[in-house]
Amino acid sequence: MLKGSVRQWTRKLAMSFGLAVSLFSAGTMAADEPFKVGFVYVGPIGDHGWSYQHDQGRLAVEKYFGDKVKTTYVENVPEGADAERVIRNLAKSGHDLIFTTSFGFMNATAKVAKQFPKVVFEHATGYKRSKNMGTYISNTYEGRYVSGYVAARMTKTGKIGYIASFPIPEVIRDINAVRLAMNKVNPDYELKILWVSTWFDPAKEADAANVMIDQGVDVILQHTDSPAAMKIAEQRGVFAVGQASDMSRFGPKAHLLSVVDSWGPYYIKTVQEVMDKTWKSEDFWGGMADGDIEIASMNPAIPKDVADEANALIDGIKSGKIHPFAGPIKNQQGELKVKEGEVLAHDVLAGMNWYVEGIEGSIPK
């Protein structure tokens, strides 16, 4: 009887110990699971522009955190119902943090964020925020200002072209920054804007570049993502400015400079904050001073005095002495929008829907 009781007690102890070990192992496995970060791209990661640069930021996260973090990306996601489905699937599959990287993903991100309050969402270029959804953007207008100045100094025809994607505030303020810089050189120079209604369509972008060159444009800027315009510029002997990434390899002679979005620092910082549970929803704007916007690969064909002036602009923007949207600034009707001594605040820039003085034509509806 005693032997049976001991045997039974021993068996129970072994079972209890085994259960404890199993629970401990399960807990250890859960603790060791990597932090999951998802990225949603509007274009292909091979666009060599916007989506490509965001993916470079994702790769920077992987390199920095190693096996502590696992990243996922979905490319070529249309801005609409498909975006909502993709974002929801990432949230359902255990992602702790999701970056949605195009303006048209805003409403879908906001909707899914409400449904998954324990997941952190970060939306690029938008303005809707909530407790678990923040927004972020780079001050591309700083780089556009520098590129607009260099373009105006380098043009021989006095005609500069801008291939525009969609009439959202981000694109409009970048066009305005280019025009304001041109005005510093020669307010009589013409800025031709061609709206193509796409972020990434190499054929459309190439057609737009050809149309502009046929109209006398000899420097092309773009707010689209493929290097098609750079390639056309190289073929036809005019200059062009790279978008989002360094596009110098696509037009060694044509390439004036590139306005580069460097997302790695922000992505690493945000992942760390969410992991540390110190993240808070905010509207982040990062520029040259933060290393989030860079001017890359200035063409050796740029005269030294022009390069020196461009570098002085860069230094001034980094130090805060120069701001592209410092007054006085008038709109295209000649009405004063920014007084001398004032600077447009981020919340105003975020909703910019008007052209500055010197731009002809109207903003598409």
Side-chain angles (χ1 to χ4, degrees), residues 35-42 54 57-58 61 65 69 71-74 77 86-87 90 95-102 105 109 119-124 134-136 263-274 279 284:
F35 184 85
K36 295 180 71 175
V37 185
F39 294 80
V40 184
Y41 305 141
V42 71
H54 280 284
R58 178 186 68 84
V61 167
F65 290 101
V69 169
T71 71
T72 305
Y73 71 88
V74 186
V77 178
V86 168
I87 298 165
L90 287 173
H95 286 78
D96 305 285
L97 169 61
I98 299 170
F99 293 97
T100 60
T101 64
S102 189
F105 295 157
T109 305
V119 178
V120 172
F121 295 82
E122 285 267 332
H123 175 244
T135 52
Y136 65 104
W263 297 107
Y266 181 73
Y267 284 156
I268 290 169
K269 177 184 80 74
T270 304
V271 170
Q272 189 68 65
E273 288 175 351
V274 178
W279 178 90
F284 175 83

Side-chain angles (χ1 to χ4, degrees), residues 298-361:
M298 280 197 192
N299 194 322
I302 299 173
K304 184 180 183 303
D305 61 330
V306 177
D308 288 345
E309 290 164 10
N311 285 318
L313 284 178
I314 293 168
D315 291 342
I317 291 171
K318 284 182 177 179
S319 68
K321 292 180 179 178
I322 295 174
H323 194 291
F325 289 99
I329 297 174
K330 294 180 180 180
N331 63 14
Q332 65 181 170
Q333 288 78 37
E335 301 165 338
L336 187 65
K337 298 289 285 187
V338 187
K339 297 177 182 178
E340 188 168 359
E342 294 183 355
V343 172
L344 277 184
H346 280 160
D347 59 343
V348 179
L349 289 170
M352 181 166 272
N353 60 357
W354 48 272
Y355 280 149
V356 298
E357 190 173 39
I359 297 179
E360 296 182 1

Side-chain angles (χ1 to χ4, degrees), residues 69-197:
V69 169
K70 180 180 179 182
T71 71
T72 305
Y73 71 88
V74 186
E75 58 185 335
N76 285 319
V77 178
E79 297 175 318
D82 283 347
E84 184 180 328
R85 175 183 56 79
V86 168
I87 298 165
R88 183 177 291 106
N89 284 343
L90 287 173
K92 287 169 64 177
S93 59
H95 286 78
D96 305 285
L97 169 61
I98 299 170
F99 293 97
T100 60
T101 64
S102 189
F103 183 82
F105 295 157
M106 180 173 63
N107 290 332
T109 305
K111 184 175 180 179
V112 177
K114 288 182 180 179
Q115 299 167 351
F116 294 86
K118 293 184 179 180
V119 178
V120 172
F121 295 82
E122 285 267 332
H123 175 244
T125 75
Y127 53 83
K128 290 186 177 180
R129 289 174 294 282
S130 61
K131 188 175 181 179
N132 65 321
M133 177 178 167
T135 52
Y136 65 104
I137 193 169
S138 56
N139 297 347
T140 49
Y141 62 82
E142 295 177 351
R144 304 289 187 198
Y145 189 79
V146 175
S147 62
Y149 184 86
V150 174
R153 292 284 273 116
M154 295 298 291
T155 182
K156 293 179 180 179
T157 64
K159 295 180 180 181
I160 295 168
Y162 198 107
I163 302 173
S165 48
F166 296 96
I168 60 174
E170 174 194 357
V171 179
I172 295 167
R173 63 175 170 264
D174 281 13
I175 292 171
N176 283 338
V178 169
R179 179 72 255 185
L180 290 170
M182 289 173 59
N183 290 345
K184 297 288 185 183
V185 178
N186 191 330
D188 293 329
Y189 284 169
E190 185 178 356
L191 179 62
K192 289 181 174 290
I193 304 165
L194 206 162
W195 295 91
V196 292
S197 300

